Amino acid sequence: MKIVYIIAVIIAVLFTSLLKAQTNSVTSKARAEITSLISLSDNSGLPGGSTLNFGTIAKSEGVGTVTISTLNARTTSGAVNAMSASATSTASFLVNGGMGRTYAITLPSTNVDVTRTGGTETMSITDFKARPQSIGGDQVTGTLDTQGADSFTVGATLNVGANQAEGVYEGSFNVVVNYN
């Protein structure tokens, strides 16, 4: 009986050793990144700053559009006539944040109305486009440089109604930037 007991103890010790030998461990890594908050401001260093200015438009009996491209080129369509001597400007913005980070620009996805000062008449602005300096083309993603800065311009299309009431039309639109 002692032999059976001794054999049982030996088997128990060996089995426990085998179980311990099968234990594995893995070392994992942890990571965190600290970066600057992204910020957006009016680029008052450029004509117009953050004001998208379609210029002066001659009253007409027909409908049409005035488009300001992201390069500040004005074009018209339909019965709209733009006054050649009037100033136009894209809206221009500065972005600051983490060096080399990419960011997304969110522009209005629905019509934005401008209302005649002292009246209730409106026109709508559509087809907003952005042009980040870092990319050099119309798109809604940019890259911050080694100083953590970039800028972009915004253009859009103004929809002018037939016999649109004379006056100055103003409104506002939101532009948002976020890291990708």
Side-chain angles (χ1 to χ4, degrees):
M1 177 86 154
K2 281 186 173 185
I3 293 181
V4 172
Y5 178 72
I6 293 174
I7 293 174
V9 170
I10 292 172
I11 291 174
V13 169
L14 288 174
F15 184 71
T16 304
S17 296
L18 288 174
L19 285 178
K20 286 183 182 178
Q22 292 178 358
T23 302
N24 290 314
S25 68
V26 174
T27 301
S28 183
K29 295 180 181 181
R31 182 178 187 277
E33 180 181 358
I34 307 298
T35 190
S36 301
L37 290 174
I38 192 166
S39 66
L40 178 65
S41 60
D42 172 4
N43 191 354
S44 57
L46 291 179
S50 64
T51 300
L52 178 58
N53 184 359
F54 293 92
T56 304
I57 304 155
K59 186 173 181 172
S60 172
E61 292 182 7
V63 299
T65 63
V66 178
T67 299
I68 301 296
S69 76
T70 57
L71 293 172
N72 196 30
R74 178 171 58 180
T75 57
T76 61
S77 69
V80 172
N81 292 309
M83 306 301 282
S84 62
S86 69
T88 64
S89 65
T90 59
S92 181
F93 301 93
L94 295 172
V95 183
N96 289 289
M99 297 179 298
R101 297 285 307 262
T102 61
Y103 65 94
I105 304 165
T106 304
L107 300 170
S109 58
T110 59
N111 296 355
V112 171
D113 286 339
V114 289
T115 304
R116 187 173 67 86
T117 302
T120 58
E121 299 83 358
T122 62
M123 292 186 284
S124 66
I125 302 174
T126 59
D127 301 322
F128 287 85
K129 293 188 178 5
R131 182 181 193 89
Q133 179 182 0
S134 59
I135 303 301
D138 288 356
Q139 66 176 35
V140 291
T141 301
T143 303
L144 299 173
D145 64 18
T146 57
Q147 302 301 311
D150 195 17
S151 64
F152 64 91
T153 56
V154 173
T157 299
L158 175 69
N159 298 283
V160 181
N163 297 308
Q164 191 75 46
E166 290 183 41
V168 175
Y169 288 74
E170 294 182 316
S172 61
F173 60 94
N174 291 324
V175 177
V176 177
V177 293
N178 288 300
Y179 285 129
N180 285 332

